[in-house]
Amino acid sequence: MQVHDVDLKLLRIFVAIVECGGLSAAESRLNIGRSTISSHLSDLEVRLGLKLCKRGRSGFELTEPGRVTYQASLELLQQCEAFASTVASSKTELSGRLSIAIIDTMVSDPRCPVAKAIAALREQSNHIQFDINVCEAKEVETSVVNGRALVGIGVSRHHLRGLEYQALHNEENYLYCASGHPLFDCEPARVKALLGEAEVITSNYMRDKDARQDDLNYQNSATAYHDEGIAQLILSGKFIGYLPKHYAQSWVDKGVFKAIMPDKYSYQIPVVLINAKNSSGSKLAQAFIDEVKRFHSH
C-alpha cells in the first residue's frame, strides 16, 4: 500500500493504543474519545486489510499481524521524524519540531534548566515548534527510543541501548505523611510500630525499592504513576509515600507534609538528559542539549 498523511495519523493512533495498553487508556494521551479512537482503529484495519487486535470484555490483545504492524509503525514514524530533523538541520536558522519527553514535577526543581533552554532557543528562532510530553519515567526513555521525542529529561539507573545519557543532578526523595495521618504528630517511640501498619503508595519509582532497602510493606491498595497522584494520596491522610524534596517542599513549608525519619527513609536517583545516538545529526536537538548543559552548569 502507498502511505499517505492519513495513514501516518492512523498509525500514530495505533502506536499510542498499544503503548497505553488499550483504547480507554489511550484517551488521555490522544485527547480524543474512545469511540473516535475505535473508529480510527477500524479505519486502519480496513486500509491494511488486517485484524490488528482483539478488544472486548476480555481486554485488549494484539494479534500477530498487529504485533508486526506495531513494530513496522515504530520504524516508519522514527524515519519520518529523522527526515524532518535532517531537512530542518539543513537550514541556517533553527527550525522544526522540538519534541521533549519529561517526567512530571520537574518544574518545581530550581535546578531544572528546561524553561531557560526553551527561552534561549526562542530568542534564536521563531520557527521552532515546541512539543512537551509529561509522562512517567519509563515512558521518557521509550519516547526517545521510538523517535516520538528528540530529547528526554528523566530518571534512570539502567541505561537502554541506543540512547545517550548525560547526568544533570541527583534528585532527593523522602518518605512523607500529611497532617491527619497517625505518623504526623506521633511520639518518636511509636514511629516504628505505626510504620509497620502504614499503607505505602506503590509508584513508578518502585524499581528503586532494592536501592532503598526501606523494609516497608508495599502490599496495599494505593498505586500512582505520577508524583501528583502520590501527593493526592498523601494529602488524604491515609497513606504515606516517597516524593521529590523540591516538589513536596511547598506543603512542608505550610505544615501540611512532614518527612518521616529522613535520615533513614530517603534515596537519591540521577536526573539525566537523554537523546538517541542517531539524533546527533539533528541541529535542533543538539542546540537544546547545549542550552540545557549551559544553564545547568550555572
Side-chain angles (χ1 to χ4, degrees), residues 274-296:
I274 307 169
N275 65 281
K277 291 181 178 179
N278 61 9
S279 70
S280 57
S282 168
K283 184 185 294 186
L284 188 54
Q286 190 58 52
F288 178 76
I289 292 170
D290 291 342
E291 294 296 345
V292 166
K293 292 166 69 175
R294 178 168 73 92
F295 284 110
H296 191 269

Side-chain angles (χ1 to χ4, degrees), residues 53-93:
C53 61
K54 301 174 183 177
R55 50 194 192 274
R57 292 184 177 180
S58 60
F60 176 85
E61 182 182 356
L62 281 178
T63 62
E64 183 58 30
R67 282 187 283 272
V68 173
T69 302
Y70 171 66
Q71 292 299 327
S73 299
L74 294 179
E75 295 175 9
L76 175 60
L77 295 174
Q78 189 168 12
Q79 289 170 1
C80 290
E81 190 70 35
F83 171 80
S85 298
T86 301
V87 172
S89 66
S90 67
K91 301 178 182 179
T92 56
E93 184 179 18

Side-chain angles (χ1 to χ4, degrees), residues 5-78:
D5 286 347
V6 64
D7 299 309
L8 292 176
K9 175 184 176 182
L10 295 175
L11 289 173
R12 287 191 177 94
I13 291 173
F14 174 60
V15 167
I17 294 170
V18 175
E19 292 181 348
C20 291
L23 279 67
S24 297
E27 288 182 286
S28 58
R29 179 193 288 188
L30 296 172
N31 198 28
I32 53 179
R34 175 172 177 169
S35 60
T36 303
I37 295 174
S38 179
S39 177
H40 287 319
L41 180 58
S42 297
D43 290 343
L44 179 61
E45 289 179 323
V46 170
R47 290 186 65 80
L48 296 175
L50 298 170
K51 183 68 174 177
L52 299 176
C53 61
K54 301 174 183 177
R55 50 194 192 274
R57 292 184 177 180
S58 60
F60 176 85
E61 182 182 356
L62 281 178
T63 62
E64 183 58 30
R67 282 187 283 272
V68 173
T69 302
Y70 171 66
Q71 292 299 327
S73 299
L74 294 179
E75 295 175 9
L76 175 60
L77 295 174
Q78 189 168 12

